[in-house]
Amino acid sequence: LAGLLREGPAPLLVGLDLSENGIGPDGITALAAHLGRLTKLQSLDLRKNELDRASAAALATALTMMTALTSLNIREQDVGDGVWPVLSALLPRAAQLQVTSDGDVRVVSGVGDNGTSYMALSGGNGLGPDGAQRLAGLLREAPPMMLAQLDLSGNAIGPDGAEALAAPLEKLVALQALDLRGNQQGVAGWAAVADALERVTCLTCLNGCGHYAAIRAGGLRELNLNGTELGVWAARFLERSASTLTT
């Protein structure tokens, strides 16, 4: 297949499903060298093909040339650190990014399943502090201008991870919803995030709380933060509602 891609004219393929073919690292690397010719390709499925770190990195290089691609699936194989260059290639076109507590990564750059990419962090765990710092590096180096939703809840990033992620938040100019619940970031981590959010002007929902803008503006009569973990963040704005709060 790599030979056909190399020798013939760039195909007009919009979908390519090679899942569960046992291609292996060498086969993926050979294929990746010519995937950039598929300029119309929108969907690529490479599940269960024994990708490793090196072959995933080769795939990431091809992805930078495949500007029409909105859906990539490389789940059900441990690509190790190779997940980071792949994620880096996809982030510039992302509208939503979610990393779950068991390491599943979901990048939405289109509509429905055809616009969603899937991969997994090594070991079946969430980001943790180290992963949070690596993600922060990606967001800082090439801020995704279309990213509207960022869900990193349940990733145990801790104070260091929260502080690292806080730094690039102000560069996410389209960010409307941010969820950092269940991350044990403590007072220091939340303080860093809160400081960064002062410069994020389009955010409307924080940790599932849709009253973000109202809390900042003040004048509230009632405030219920149950389940949001926003006590540290909201405390800095409560003075603005001191004369109006009844509950």
Side-chain angles (χ1 to χ4, degrees), residues 58 93 115 140 176 187 202:
R93 63 195 82 170
R140 183 174 59 251
Q176 299 175 27
V187 173
C202 54

Side-chain angles (χ1 to χ4, degrees), residues 9 17 24 55 71 80 126 148 158 165 194 198 204 216 226 230 243:
D17 186 347
S55 56
S71 177
L165 283 167
E198 291 289 330
T204 59
R216 286 174 58 98
N226 186 40
L230 290 180
S243 63

Side-chain angles (χ1 to χ4, degrees), residues 30-66:
L31 187 63
H34 308 291
L35 280 176
R37 293 174 55 82
L38 304 180
T39 56
K40 305 292 185 182
L41 195 67
Q42 299 173 25
S43 175
L44 175 61
D45 194 336
L46 293 173
R47 287 171 297 156
K48 293 186 178 180
N49 275 303
E50 303 172 22
L51 274 79
D52 61 6
R53 180 177 63 180
S55 56
L59 174 62
T61 300
L63 291 176
T64 61
M65 297 179 281
M66 301 164 66

Side-chain angles (χ1 to χ4, degrees), residues 39-224:
T39 56
K40 305 292 185 182
L41 195 67
Q42 299 173 25
S43 175
L44 175 61
D45 194 336
L46 293 173
R47 287 171 297 156
K48 293 186 178 180
N49 275 303
E50 303 172 22
L51 274 79
D52 61 6
R53 180 177 63 180
S55 56
L59 174 62
T61 300
L63 291 176
T64 61
M65 297 179 281
M66 301 164 66
T67 55
L69 193 79
T70 57
S71 177
L72 171 70
N73 196 334
I74 58 169
R75 287 184 297 185
E76 300 179 72
Q77 54 208 332
D78 192 340
V79 301
D81 283 350
V83 72
W84 298 108
V86 172
L87 185 55
S88 178
L90 293 175
L91 271 178
R93 63 195 82 170
Q96 301 176 33
L97 172 62
Q98 180 185 34
V99 184
T100 67
S101 60
D102 55 1
D104 281 341
V105 181
R106 178 174 172 266
V107 183
V108 177
S109 52
V111 179
D113 290 339
N114 291 331
T116 304
S117 296
Y118 300 96
M119 62 202 78
L121 300 177
S122 182
N125 297 313
L127 288 167
D130 291 341
Q133 293 185 33
R134 298 197 69 162
L135 177 58
L138 297 185
L139 295 175
R140 183 174 59 251
E141 292 165 9
M145 295 294 101
M146 297 182 294
L147 191 67
Q149 297 182 33
L150 178 59
D151 184 352
L152 304 178
S153 57
N155 275 273
I157 64 176
D160 290 343
E163 290 181 29
L165 283 167
L169 281 180
E170 64 183 276
K171 297 184 178 182
L172 305 182
V173 296
L175 191 64
Q176 299 175 27
L178 173 65
D179 198 333
L180 294 174
R181 285 175 287 188
N183 277 303
Q184 300 88 49
Q185 57 262 55
V187 173
W190 265 117
V193 170
D195 288 342
L197 291 180
E198 291 289 330
R199 298 178 289 277
V200 179
T201 58
C202 54
L203 196 73
T204 59
C205 183
L206 179 61
N207 282 14
C209 178
H211 302 297
Y212 173 82
I215 294 172
R216 286 174 58 98
L220 295 172
R221 293 183 58 82
E222 297 181 1
L223 179 59
N224 183 354

